[in-house]
Amino acid sequence: AEVQTLSELESRGLCHGCPDGKCLLPYSLVMMVRVTLSGGIEMSCTDLIEQWPTIQDEFTQTVVDCVESMKETYEPGKPFNLTSCPTGFWPSVVDEEFGADNKVVRYTSSYFPTGKPYDYVDEIYEVVDKLDRASGDVVLGAYETTDEDFINIYVDSLLNKDMALAMAS
């Protein structure tokens, strides 16, 4: 799903990162796996899926150790201690139940770098329904900005429709 979404954003010029017009990879569990595997950045999704079993146990344990370390050292108002974490890790790539007692990620977040805040919010909102959400059998994707702009745009559009109907009646 990430590759297809990345391709859609690139084709519309709605991301930033590389001077050749390509987007930076999204920060995600998939990116972390790609970085872990030799040649993983360039791998196709099919190759990545084939290689996953070769690192699954070690990678999962690394993320578990990272999360457990964060839980032990967390102090409100202070930056996260990510020193024991794999490259690209951010706390929201795993859910709050993930850790030593539960090694299954129920939901995760992927962050697509799209430039400065608000550079492309309206443009991305216009194509959000075309972005890949996966099959829905195992993964179901949803999109939003870090500031929840999409829901605000949607609510504003409904309010405008309501106001038009109210004025017409």
Side-chain angles (χ1 to χ4, degrees):
E2 284 184 2
V3 170
Q4 291 172 336
T5 294
L6 204 58
S7 176
E8 184 72 27
L9 293 173
E10 282 177 353
S11 73
R12 296 173 182 273
L14 297 175
C15 57
H16 88 156
C18 303
D20 62 358
K22 297 285 186 185
C23 298
L24 290 172
L25 290 175
Y27 297 102
S28 66
L29 283 172
V30 173
M31 193 247 338
M32 291 167 46
V33 170
R34 286 183 179 281
V35 169
T36 302
L37 285 167
S38 177
I41 297 294
E42 293 84 23
M43 279 186 191
S44 69
C45 291
T46 303
D47 291 341
L48 197 63
I49 290 166
E50 287 175 8
Q51 291 299 310
W52 169 241
T54 67
I55 65 162
Q56 183 176 4
D57 291 340
E58 182 180 349
F59 179 82
T60 301
Q61 191 58 52
T62 300
V63 177
V64 165
D65 293 345
C66 161
V67 168
E68 292 302 320
S69 173
M70 284 182 58
K71 288 177 183 177
E72 292 170 10
T73 61
Y74 175 72
E75 292 183 48
K78 293 194 176 182
F80 293 114
N81 179 1
L82 303 176
T83 55
S84 66
C85 298
T87 301
F89 181 83
W90 192 246
S92 59
V93 299
V94 295
D95 60 75
E96 73 274 1
E97 300 294 323
F98 182 82
D101 297 329
N102 177 25
K103 296 181 181 181
V104 176
V105 175
R106 295 176 305 136
Y107 57 89
T108 183
S109 296
S110 300
Y111 296 93
F112 292 84
T114 56
K116 296 175 187 168
Y118 309 109
D119 276 355
Y120 304 115
V121 170
D122 292 326
E123 292 87 346
I124 294 172
Y125 182 75
E126 293 298 319
V127 298
V128 76
D129 288 335
K130 295 178 182 166
L131 302 180
D132 198 330
R133 296 176 189 277
S135 67
D137 296 335
V138 176
V139 177
L140 179 59
Y143 294 90
E144 184 55 274
T145 67
T146 53
D147 293 328
E148 299 181 354
D149 296 300
F150 292 169
I151 190 64
N152 292 330
I153 292 170
Y154 178 68
V155 168
D156 287 349
S157 73
L158 293 178
L159 288 174
N160 287 338
K161 288 177 187 173
D162 269 0
M163 289 305 292
L165 288 172
M167 291 175 66
S169 62

